[in-house]
Amino acid sequence: MAQQTATNAPVRRRPAGAGNVFLSFAPWIVFGVVASPSTWAYAALAALIAALALSGQDLLRGRIRVLDMTAIVFFAVLCVLGLALTRGQILWVETYAQVISNGLVAVVALGSLLADPFTAQYARESTPREVWDSPVFLHINRVLTAVWGLAFALMTVSTWLAVRFPSQDDWFNWVVPIALLVCAVKFTQRYPEWYKARAVRT
């Protein structure tokens, strides 16, 4: 009887839209934490290494997700700029490195809504193929992608304000971005199951 119960127990899946999306943000978070006017080149190198490490298996299989590819290309370009140009030539990068990185993630996330929401690429890894085209799956991932895009858009504004108002640097470079990330993570963890339960009731 115990064996039958174990066999028939439902397999618990991760919420649609969660997947490994949090790991793909790791290089961007590493860059945001380490980057400063004097350390942005080292931050870019650390973020590039993190992006390659996290995407290594996918690259070997000839498969890469849009956010991972964006991270690899962006941080590789920053590393090249750091080696090829003088400090005077890349002063704008030193000043706006975090603004640019946050803005790029926002553009990629919101732009993916026009084709394939980027969170869907992760959700498919833990969701049966037969539900990939379902209205519930598509709706959840459009919402999650929009939330992440909005979070990084607001982080772009916040880090730009940090440049404009150095006296408030701690708030705009740390407190606000961390709060936005926490909210986006919590929403991603809870919204899929809430919406699926709501869809069942209606």
Side-chain angles (χ1 to χ4, degrees), residues 13-198:
R13 296 183 179 273
R14 287 173 290 179
N20 294 319
V21 65
F22 305 131
L23 286 178
S24 285
F25 283 114
W28 304 95
I29 294 172
V30 167
F31 184 75
V33 169
V34 179
S36 71
S38 60
T39 64
W40 69 268
Y42 299 104
L45 179 59
L48 176 61
I49 292 172
L52 290 171
L54 292 171
S55 306
Q57 290 186 348
D58 288 333
L59 288 171
L60 291 175
R61 296 171 184 167
R63 181 188 65 182
I64 190 70
R65 293 174 288 249
V66 62
L67 190 62
D68 297 333
M69 178 57 71
T70 301
I72 292 171
V73 172
F74 176 70
F75 294 121
V77 169
L78 284 188
C79 288
V80 171
L81 291 177
L83 292 172
L85 302 179
T86 65
R87 185 172 183 181
Q89 291 173 317
I90 54 175
L91 184 61
W92 62 275
V93 177
E94 289 192 1
T95 304
Y96 294 102
Q98 291 186 354
V99 179
I100 296 169
S101 65
N102 289 329
L104 181 59
V105 176
V107 169
V108 170
L110 296 175
S112 72
L113 289 171
L114 300 175
D116 184 28
F118 85 91
T119 59
Q121 297 177 343
Y122 302 89
R124 293 188 187 103
E125 297 176 359
S126 58
T127 307
R129 180 179 292 272
E130 57 268 21
V131 304
W132 289 1
D133 296 320
S134 68
V136 171
F137 180 88
L138 296 174
H139 173 85
I140 287 173
N141 283 285
R142 288 192 191 102
V143 171
L144 295 183
T145 295
V147 166
W148 280 104
L150 178 61
F152 272 89
L154 293 175
M155 288 167 61
T156 303
V157 175
S158 182
T159 47
W160 177 80
L161 289 172
V163 175
R164 301 294 296 176
F165 303 100
S167 62
Q168 302 297 320
D169 176 82
D170 288 343
W171 280 97
F172 291 130
N173 257 346
W174 294 98
V175 177
V176 173
I178 290 174
L180 289 169
L181 284 174
V182 169
C183 289
V185 168
K186 294 294 186 182
F187 186 85
T188 300
Q189 291 174 334
R190 298 174 181 176
Y191 181 76
E193 295 302 330
W194 175 85
Y195 185 79
K196 286 189 286 186
R198 177 178 177 271

